[in-house]
Amino acid sequence: MNMRNDTEELKEFLLLGIPQTEGLEPVLSVIFSAIYLFTLLGNLLILVAITSSSTLRTPMYFFLGLLSILDMLFPSVTCPKMLFYLSGRSRAISYEGCAAQLFFYHFLGSTEGCLYSVMAYDRFVAICHPLRYMLIMRPGVCVGLVMAAWLVGCLQATILMSLTFQLPYCGPNQVAYFFCDIPAVLPLACADSSLAQRVGSTNIGFLVLLFWFSVCASYTRIGIAILRIRSAEGKQKAFSTCSAHLTAILCAYGPVIIIYLQPTPNALVGAMVQILNNNVSPMLNSLIYSLRNKDVKRCNHSFRCL
């Protein structure tokens, strides 16, 4: 794909930052730096705990380790550049850098959404078919599911980037946002972008709903299975294996639905929700899985694992 396509005169975009936060850059820089560092450290500790402990080498923790990797990579797409210009340095981002930022944002976001569905299926098999769990979720199947998640993410990101950057951009080049995303970049196109906007929104909405329905289907079956358990202890144990994952899903899907499916977008609300999705949710995942998962918590407190 020739991404430059009649845009030889456009060399870069300017990121205007978070709407309505002029003068707050030093404070925001400190806050987001702390969140970003905590996100990296928290997810790194989970990853180290999983790879260091022989008791955590199960499909559930294999997927959790991959989620930790994604939660380190996803905020790294937007946060370093945001911190760079919040510290008073250049807000410019190259044309290719803007395209790469949009691609990896949707690639990693879609992959993570698909991984949540895979993790829900894993919990369904563990609770509804416990005796066949290791047979069904054997290593080859787990690797295949993860590869499918990466493939879905790559395909989704390629489609969205192609829709956005096949249009000519000849000025203005000021992106009224803190990173290059479809709703902020498309209005700058020198041609009609309505088709790209509709197709992009439909594509994102369809994928989010597909992931959401797959999660709901798995947890509906899980809920029915839990209700059939007679002992209160058995119900509590089954629920505890799913509570952290359910909490993480709500933190992930809520912002995405608000951002892309709101009928009358508000710039400030959209930016705050996007920050929650980009930076806060990956940090919360490390807290959720560390505090609510006894095995991970035990390993994180063990010098043997750390």
Side-chain angles (χ1 to χ4, degrees):
M1 180 183 64
N2 182 14
M3 290 192 342
R4 297 312 294 261
N5 188 31
D6 299 331
T7 61
E8 291 300 329
E9 69 275 20
L10 185 61
K11 302 295 183 182
E12 63 183 18
F13 292 98
L14 291 178
L15 300 173
L16 299 185
I18 304 170
Q20 304 176 30
T21 59
E22 292 79 5
L24 298 176
E25 287 83 359
V27 176
L28 293 176
S29 178
V30 173
I31 293 174
F32 292 137
S33 294
I35 292 175
Y36 183 52
L37 290 176
F38 191 91
T39 299
L40 296 180
L41 179 61
N43 284 287
L44 182 60
L45 287 176
I46 290 179
L47 189 60
V48 169
I50 291 173
T51 55
S52 301
S53 174
S54 58
T55 61
L56 301 184
R57 291 174 186 173
T58 65
M60 174 183 175
Y61 294 106
F62 170 67
F63 296 133
L64 179 56
L66 290 172
L67 180 63
S68 295
I69 293 174
L70 289 173
D71 280 338
M72 288 188 287
L73 294 176
F74 186 57
S76 298
V77 174
T78 59
C79 199
K81 181 60 181 178
M82 180 174 66
L83 294 175
F84 186 80
Y85 63 71
L86 284 176
S87 63
R89 284 172 279 188
S90 174
R91 294 176 177 266
I93 182 171
S94 68
Y95 184 94
E96 292 79 7
C98 186
Q101 196 174 59
L102 188 148
F103 174 84
F104 283 106
Y105 173 76
H106 288 280
F107 169 50
L108 295 171
S110 299
T111 301
E112 186 163 337
C114 193
L115 185 60
Y116 279 126
S117 298
V118 171
M119 294 174 74
Y121 175 72
D122 173 71
R123 293 300 83 208
F124 157 71
V125 176
I127 292 175
C128 298
H129 304 285
L131 299 179
R132 300 173 54 205
Y133 175 67
M134 295 307 297
L135 177 62
I136 296 174
M137 302 301 296
R138 55 191 181 274
V141 172
C142 294
V143 172
L145 290 172
V146 169
M147 291 180 64
W150 287 100
L151 181 61
V152 168
C154 185
L155 181 62
Q156 170 80 339
T158 300
I159 292 172
L160 295 177
M161 188 189 69
S162 299
L163 282 171
T164 304
F165 287 96
Q166 70 179 349
L167 297 171
Y169 291 88
C170 50
N173 68 340
Q174 295 183 336
V175 179
Y177 215 40
F178 62 97
F179 75 103
C180 291
D181 196 14
I182 297 171
V185 174
L186 278 180
L188 302 178
C190 298
D192 183 16
S193 63
S194 58
L195 178 60
Q197 289 176 340
R198 288 196 300 270
V199 174
S201 297
T202 301
N203 206 28
I204 292 171
F206 173 77
L207 198 62
V208 170
L209 290 176
L210 181 63
F211 291 158
W212 179 251
F213 284 141
S214 67
V215 169
C216 288
S218 294
Y219 274 101
T220 299
R221 296 288 301 275
I222 290 172
I224 294 173
I226 291 176
L227 291 175
R228 291 175 178 172
I229 299 175
R230 295 184 179 181
S231 68
E233 183 181 355
K235 289 182 179 180
Q236 184 178 1
K237 183 178 179 181
F239 180 75
S240 66
T241 64
C242 303
S243 58
H245 184 235
L246 276 173
T247 305
I249 286 175
L250 292 176
C251 292
Y253 281 107
V256 173
I257 293 173
I258 295 174
I259 292 166
Y260 292 101
L261 301 182
Q262 56 181 327
T264 54
N266 179 279
L268 181 59
V269 173
M272 293 300 101
V273 174
Q274 191 75 274
I275 289 171
L276 175 65
N277 180 57
N278 290 14
N279 304 311
V280 180
S281 290
M283 178 190 69
L284 291 178
N285 278 350
S286 62
L287 287 174
I288 290 167
Y289 284 104
S290 294
L291 296 177
R292 296 198 60 85
N293 190 293
K294 294 180 181 179
D295 293 331
V296 173
K297 183 161 52 174
R298 187 184 306 117
C299 193
N300 275 332
H301 284 85
S302 171
F303 289 106
R304 176 175 58 85
C305 294
L306 297 178

